[in-house]
Every structure is written in structure tokens, then in C-alpha cells.
Amino acid sequence: AKLEYVTHSARLSAWFGDGVARVIGAWRLARTIQPDLVIGYHLPWNGLMALLIARRSAAKAAYFSVGGPPELIGGGIYSEHALFSRLGRESSYIEGRFINLLREFDAILTMGTRSRDFFLSLEVDTPAIPVAVGINDTRFSSRDSTGRDDAEFDLVSVGRLSAIKQTDEFLKIVAALEQEGRPVDAAVVGDGDQRESLQALARKLNISDRVRFFGWVDDVEGILKRSKVFMMTSASEGLPHSLIEAMLTGMPAVVPNVGEIGDLVVSGMNGYLIMDNDTQSFVSDTRSLLDNPENLEQFGEAARRSALHYTVDERVLVWNDALDRIMKSSAQSQSAYDPE
């Protein structure tokens, strides 16, 4: 009831571009409402803008590190930033400037504990607080009691079809299972600049009849509930919404041990964490689930229990605690900032 969405002027955007329009719009809004806290998502531009606006309006400033350590390491070369990802090589100078910028914030918000620990290791004396996001559980309620024996798809992958998501590896895993005599039917949900090349790869691997490309869909929950195992092969992640959503439907996950995924997936309990994106590990762990219906069901039940910690109601409690701590004091010890 207290949430209002405001965006920058379309006229300003037409005149100056989205970036400048966003700065002007945020600046005007801050002067009008005099906020207590300004949060900037990602570095450097949004974070820097939040910091400048906060200082001018006597507010506190927080940086939300949605992308995690890759936003800083090497100057952002491993991030998805349009500029810094093109550096060509790591820049210790830019990385150092980013770290200095962190010292100016009153708090750093992270998607999980791995990023929290990374920022603590930098010794910047800025509290690092894991908060993550909340998912609407009513959309992703688990399947009915009949289980997943009759599921249409053995594997499902959800995400942008871009290089960093490495969906080509997903297709290679499907092909490897085929070669091992364990053919699977797979769904790829999402769109992006690699869609045509991925469809061509599926044909080259002789699995085009096994993989269905859905593109973007509004009812992703419908496809998730028609699938047995969720798989992700990304090179980098934070704590993906798609993973939480899949697990909320009662589906185990076979995913890489990157970003904050380890906060949610526990190998041998609700899925499998794959080290170094090893294809053979993906294949063997996926087979162990698909060939054992009892494990598939037990892992799925455990997956839903784990994902319920990331529903909106649960995250509201975490966010309220984090915001309360930021506003009360920005000088507490970093170890106190752990609402988990």
C-alpha cells in the first residue's frame, strides 16, 4: 500500500536519452519527497547517482549488488555492463576506484551470502547485508499429488538466450544424454540474440526433435509444472528468479555452483551443484534423478521447502530488518548485519 512506481519523463528521454532523463527524474523526485534512503542498483552509474542524490538530500545511500562480485572484479570485465564488460583485460585501477566508491555508502545490499562475504573481505567498513528478492508463491504452487511421472519435459531451462547463460552447454548435455542411451525431452524458455544459433546447434547435434524453444512466455509456471528437472548452465549468476520459481513448483535443480545459488541448492538434498560447469557431472547427476522416481519426488519436495524461504512474505521480514538496521545506524560492526 505504501509503494508507488515513478519513472522518468518520456519527453526528457526523447530530448536527452534514457540515462540523462533518469538522472534528472530521480533528482527532481528526491527534492520533492526528501527520502530517508536512496538505493542504487549496480555500479557504477546507478550506484553513483544514488550516492550523489542521497548526499544532497541528507539521506542514507545503499548500493544493491544484484550482479555480485563480477560488478567489481577486474573493473567489471566479467559483468554484463555494456561498457566495462568490453575492457579487454582486467583493470586494477578501475576496480580500485569501485572499491573506494563502496566506502561512501551506508550499506551494501547483496543477493546472498557469497557476495556478502566477498564485500566483507574487501575491508571497506561498509555493512554488507544479504536480502535477496521475494517471489509470489501463489503463481508457483507445487504440482498436484500425482507427481511428475507424466511430465511432458524431462528438462527445462529458463533464461535469456545470451552468451553468459551458456544455453549451448544445455543443448550439449541433452545430446550427451542421447548418446548415452538416455534420451530426454527438453524445453528452452526465453529469447535473445543467440536463439537462431542455438536452434542451429540443436539441428547439428541431432536433437532438434528433442528440444522445444518456447521464446518468452507469460505463463512460465505452466511449463515448469510440466517438467521434471530444472537445469541452468550459466557462467555467472546472482540468485536467479527462475531457479526459485522452478523450485517453488516442487522441482529439483541441477545447476552450476556460481553466484548465490549455493544459498538455495544443496547437493544430494534438493538438487545438485555442479563445479566448473562440468558437462559429465551434469549428465550423471541428471540421470540419477530421472532414473530414480523416488529421488525425484523427495528432492522436489525438499526443493519447495527451500524455496519457500524466498517468498514475498519471508523476504518482507528480511528487508524490514535490513532497512531498520541501516536507518538506525551505519556504524555498527559488519558482523551484526546478517538478517538471515
Side-chain angles (χ1 to χ4, degrees):
K2 297 182 179 180
L3 180 65
E4 180 182 1
Y5 178 77
V6 181
T7 188
H8 53 273
S9 163
R11 180 178 296 179
L12 284 177
S13 182
W15 286 348
F16 303 111
D18 287 338
V20 174
R22 189 166 68 249
V23 173
I24 296 173
W27 199 278
R28 285 177 174 175
L29 182 62
R31 289 180 60 186
T32 301
I33 67 174
Q34 291 296 302
D36 297 306
L37 173 66
V38 183
I39 302 175
Y41 289 71
H42 304 291
L43 284 182
W45 314 129
N46 289 347
L48 182 59
M49 182 170 66
L51 191 61
L52 293 174
I53 291 173
R55 293 298 177 259
R56 284 299 187 95
S57 57
K60 292 192 175 183
Y63 152 55
F64 198 147
S65 176
V66 179
E71 290 189 6
L72 277 77
I73 296 173
I77 189 174
Y78 303 110
S79 71
E80 294 187 73
H81 193 281
L83 175 62
F84 296 102
S85 62
R86 301 178 181 178
L87 284 173
R89 60 186 177 87
E90 292 187 1
S91 172
S92 59
Y93 175 80
I94 297 177
E95 180 180 321
R97 302 290 73 74
F98 284 170
I99 292 174
N100 286 339
L101 186 61
L102 294 179
R103 295 188 171 95
E104 302 300 320
F105 288 96
D106 296 287
I108 301 168
L109 303 174
T110 72
M111 293 292 285
T113 58
R114 180 178 286 187
S115 290
R116 186 269 316 271
D117 293 344
F118 168 78
F119 288 115
L120 293 180
S121 72
L122 298 178
E123 299 181 351
V124 295
D125 296 326
T126 302
I129 314 171
V131 289
V133 294
I135 301 296
N136 182 358
D137 180 38
T138 59
R139 284 185 60 197
F140 299 94
S141 58
S142 57
R143 227 167 172 266
D144 60 36
S145 59
T146 60
R148 295 182 184 265
D149 291 342
D150 60 344
E152 182 177 354
F153 301 104
D154 298 294
L155 302 179
V156 59
S157 172
V158 180
R160 284 181 294 108
L161 303 185
S162 60
I164 200 165
K165 298 300 183 180
Q166 298 187 153
T167 310
D168 57 327
E169 295 299 320
F170 176 76
L171 297 180
K172 292 173 184 176
I173 293 164
V174 172
L177 285 163
E178 178 95 12
Q179 292 170 3
E180 287 191 4
R182 184 44 170 104
V184 295
D185 291 313
V188 176
V189 181
D191 212 340
D193 57 15
Q194 290 202 333
R195 180 169 178 171
E196 289 187 3
S197 63
L198 289 168
Q199 290 174 319
L201 177 60
R203 290 191 294 270
K204 181 179 179 181
L205 294 172
N206 295 318
I207 56 170
S208 56
D209 60 331
R210 289 288 183 183
V211 181
R212 182 173 173 185
F213 289 84
F214 280 88
W216 288 114
V217 296
D218 293 327
D219 62 336
V220 65
E221 62 272 24
I223 299 173
L224 293 175
K225 293 175 184 179
R226 288 152 50 199
S227 305
K228 293 182 180 180
V229 175
F230 179 83
M231 183 175 288
M232 178 176 287
T233 50
S234 305
S236 178
E237 286 287 350
L239 185 59
H241 289 199
S242 59
L243 172 61
I244 301 173
E245 291 167 354
M247 294 177 70
L248 280 172
T249 70
M251 191 188 327
V254 182
V255 289
N257 187 21
V258 297
E260 314 297 344
I261 290 177
D263 280 0
L264 184 56
V265 178
V266 180
S267 280
M269 187 188 82
N270 56 17
Y272 290 101
L273 283 174
I274 307 300
M275 303 301 295
D276 302 319
N277 256 329
D278 179 66
T279 299
Q280 190 52 50
S281 295
F282 268 109
V283 171
S284 59
D285 288 338
T286 299
R287 286 199 66 163
S288 71
L289 283 172
L290 293 177
D291 292 343
N292 191 328
E294 184 177 344
N295 273 0
L296 190 66
E297 181 179 355
Q298 291 177 353
F299 277 47
E301 292 172 354
R304 177 164 171 79
R305 288 195 299 270
S306 298
L308 284 173
H309 292 293
Y310 293 89
T311 61
V312 172
D313 289 344
E314 289 292 321
R315 291 292 105 183
V316 163
L317 300 177
V318 174
W319 270 91
N320 280 345
D321 182 65
L323 294 175
D324 186 56
R325 290 170 183 262
I326 294 172
M327 299 315 300
K328 282 183 176 178
S329 174
S330 60
Q332 298 183 38
S333 66
Q334 296 188 47
S335 60
Y337 284 81
D338 190 357
E340 299 289 349

